[in-house]
Amino acid sequence: MKNAVRKQKEKDNLRQIIMDAARELFVTKGYEAVSMRKIAERIEYSPTTIYLYFEDKVDLMTQICEQTFAKLTRNIKAINRKIADPIEALRAGMHEYVNFGLRHPSHYLLLFNTRVPEEPRIAFAESNGKIAFETLREAVKACADAHKLSSKDVDLVSQTLWTGIHGVTSLLITQNHFPFVNRKKLIANAIDTMIDGAMK
Amino acid sequence: MKNAVRKQKEKDNLRQIIMDAARELFVTKGYEAVSMRKIAERIEYSPTTIYLYFEDKVDLMTQICEQTFAKLTRNIKAINRKIADPIEALRAGMHEYVNFGLRHPSHYLLLFNTRVPEEPRIAFAESNGKIAFETLREAVKACADAHKLSSKDVDLVSQTLWTGIHGVTSLLITQNHFPFVNRKKLIANAIDTMIDGAMK
DNA sequence: TCATTTACTTAACACTGTTAATATACATAA
DNA sequence: TTATGTATATTAACAGTGTTAAGTAAATGA
């Protein structure tokens, strides 16, 4: 009962310990393949203990995703601050989005590849997934303000670009048996094609 | 035991009856929410009977998807035959792909939004998903042959276009709580943006 | 010291996909 | 006709799932 892992726990941080263990399992084995019992086993608590800190399995995964996507937003914001040319900032942000998705495939799939029939757990307006999109939208707005885009409809353009980068990210994660051309080349071409199309 | 639904069965078509019942359930409730027992209940057979006709649940869904995607391929092929201008044929084929996905969301998600760690059940080369992609590739080849594209790399271009239309399809299915602009407008803009970008 | 709160566990429920063993119906052979 | 063999379908069970209700043990406060 009381061993190394458990000793590591100091008051009130069991919640983060659960999230850390769950994150690693979700990322390596995938959401469906990880059971609450397996998470509990790894941290050497009973399965029901997890329910003292999280409503259910979806809530646990959602909380983990929120942490992850807050980081994506920070990364894109940093890029937008660093690169002056709005088109190049946008391009770099799109690259970061795709690569971030490929680095966190389980999180990415849960947030963007799962049909949610019920109301989402976190009001979408406040979710970090939405905030990440908003950050992309700001980059598009900057391009529009600099008269670099053929359309004035910032929402239409940002949503179009979002569907584009989501497409590469999603297919590269899920269809790993497909004979893709060089991945980097495909990512770059997809992004460049869309930016070219939006600038015309 | 022997009632209307069951009587309807004539020798050897129980397999198709299972597929029909399962398809309807998968489409309306989603793959995960449909259990083998519920399918069995609907056709008034015992759950294990299904295993006489299909290896397991994944096999059942895979067979259903194959039927569905064979139809998508036929639709796109018909479009390619009917429209002479290669760019307009490509554009129309891409529209058909997206709309088909939106008409068959469960099938679409299973084929393209699910990570498959193991070897796929059906050799990918023969799968109807792949054949549908090949049909799109032929349309791109026709555009390249007519010198309409800025790149000569047909694989790179077709994969780029595929990721693009997959992106719209996938996000429109899964993120139904997102405040998208008008759906038709978004689909058209995504397709036009990518074609413009590929033509340059 | 006793009552109350906090943190955690045990046992159980209702479900899942799937398998092994068993029963039933039906076609063919004697 | 009866007997045998072969599909076809069912029952019972296994090992697993997410989750809840009830119970325990330790810490806290009066």
Side-chain angles (χ1 to χ4, degrees):
Chain A
M1 286 273 188
K2 56 237 152 167
N3 70 356
V5 172
R6 186 143 184 183
K7 266 186 209 158
Q8 166 199 343
K9 174 208 164 196
E10 320 202 4
K11 230 189 201 165
D12 281 336
N13 66 352
L14 180 51
R15 187 187 159 86
Q16 191 58 51
I17 291 178
I18 294 171
M19 289 179 82
D20 290 343
R23 179 181 3 254
E24 197 195 317
L25 288 172
F26 284 146
V27 166
T28 54
K29 320 233 183 226
Y31 178 74
E32 299 293 343
V34 175
S35 72
M36 297 299 260
R37 286 172 175 83
K38 277 177 195 155
I39 298 169
E41 200 177 315
R42 167 164 298 215
I43 58 173
E44 299 187 67
Y45 279 81
S46 86
T48 51
T49 299
I50 301 174
Y51 289 87
L52 301 175
Y53 295 85
F54 300 92
E55 264 196 23
D56 50 28
K57 195 185 174 187
V58 171
D59 181 43
L60 171 56
M61 185 55 160
T62 305
Q63 302 292 340
I64 293 173
C65 287
E66 284 297 301
Q67 283 193 346
T68 305
F69 275 85
K71 218 172 112 188
L72 170 59
T73 302
R74 285 199 297 277
N75 291 359
I76 297 182
K77 275 200 200 305
I79 287 171
N80 287 348
R81 247 181 274 114
K82 213 168 60 184
I83 302 181
D85 179 31
I87 288 287
E88 291 316 312
L90 176 61
R91 195 190 314 273
M94 290 167 78
H95 271 279
E96 172 58 22
Y97 180 102
V98 175
N99 289 322
F100 191 91
L102 298 179
R103 286 203 303 278
H104 306 90
S106 287
H107 299 63
Y108 191 85
L109 294 190
L110 185 91
L111 235 78
F112 294 126
N113 259 28
T114 312
R115 181 142 58 147
V116 188
E118 347 138 28
E119 279 302 287
R121 296 300 174 88
I122 295 180
F124 190 70
E126 292 111 50
S127 82
N128 281 299
K130 170 70 179 293
I131 293 172
F133 170 77
E134 284 302 327
T135 310
L136 177 75
R137 191 189 180 284
E138 281 166 31
V140 173
K141 180 78 165 52
C143 295
D145 289 345
H147 306 96
K148 300 276 190 183
L149 303 179
S150 60
S151 166
K152 297 231 177 264
D153 191 335
V154 174
D155 283 310
L156 179 61
V157 175
S158 8
Q159 289 181 19
T160 297
L161 296 186
W162 179 34
T163 61
I165 51 182
H166 165 74
V168 213
T169 312
S170 165
L171 283 186
L172 284 177
I173 293 173
T174 60
Q175 309 298 312
N176 44 14
H177 53 283
F178 184 88
F180 283 114
V181 300
N182 178 280
R183 290 164 77 100
K184 279 188 179 178
K185 201 171 159 185
L186 178 59
I187 294 169
N189 190 252
I191 293 175
D192 293 345
T193 299
M194 285 186 307
I195 291 185
D196 286 349
M199 296 177 71
K200 193 153 49 180
Chain B
M1 289 269 188
K2 56 240 155 159
N3 71 357
V5 172
R6 186 141 184 185
K7 266 186 209 158
Q8 166 198 344
K9 175 209 161 195
E10 320 201 1
K11 229 190 204 164
D12 282 337
N13 65 352
L14 179 52
R15 187 187 160 86
Q16 190 58 50
I17 291 178
I18 295 171
M19 289 178 83
D20 291 342
R23 179 184 1 258
E24 197 195 316
L25 288 172
F26 284 147
V27 166
T28 55
K29 320 233 183 223
Y31 178 75
E32 300 292 344
V34 175
S35 71
M36 297 298 261
R37 285 171 175 83
K38 278 177 194 153
I39 299 169
E41 201 177 315
R42 167 163 299 214
I43 58 173
E44 299 187 69
Y45 278 80
S46 85
T48 49
T49 299
I50 301 173
Y51 289 87
L52 301 174
Y53 295 85
F54 300 92
E55 264 195 25
D56 52 27
K57 196 184 174 187
V58 172
D59 181 43
L60 171 57
M61 185 54 159
T62 305
Q63 301 292 338
I64 293 172
C65 287
E66 284 296 302
Q67 282 192 348
T68 305
F69 275 85
K71 218 172 112 190
L72 170 59
T73 302
R74 285 199 297 276
N75 292 359
I76 297 182
K77 274 199 201 309
I79 287 171
N80 286 348
R81 248 181 273 113
K82 214 167 60 183
I83 303 180
D85 178 29
I87 288 286
E88 290 317 311
L90 176 61
R91 195 190 316 272
M94 289 166 79
H95 270 279
E96 172 58 22
Y97 180 103
V98 175
N99 289 323
F100 190 91
L102 298 179
R103 285 203 304 278
H104 306 89
S106 287
H107 298 63
Y108 191 85
L109 294 190
L110 185 90
L111 236 77
F112 294 125
N113 260 28
T114 313
R115 183 142 57 146
V116 188
E118 346 139 29
E119 278 301 288
R121 295 303 174 87
I122 294 180
F124 189 71
E126 292 111 51
S127 83
N128 281 299
K130 169 70 179 291
I131 293 171
F133 170 77
E134 283 302 325
T135 311
L136 176 76
R137 191 189 181 282
E138 282 167 31
V140 172
K141 180 78 165 55
C143 294
D145 290 345
H147 304 97
K148 301 277 189 182
L149 303 180
S150 62
S151 166
K152 298 232 178 263
D153 192 335
V154 174
D155 283 309
L156 179 62
V157 175
S158 7
Q159 289 180 19
T160 296
L161 296 185
W162 179 34
T163 63
I165 52 182
H166 164 75
V168 212
T169 312
S170 165
L171 282 185
L172 284 176
I173 293 174
T174 61
Q175 309 299 310
N176 43 15
H177 53 282
F178 184 87
F180 283 114
V181 300
N182 178 279
R183 289 165 77 98
K184 278 188 180 179
K185 201 171 160 186
L186 178 59
I187 294 169
N189 190 251
I191 292 175
D192 293 345
T193 299
M194 285 187 306
I195 291 185
D196 286 349
M199 295 177 71
K200 197 158 37 179

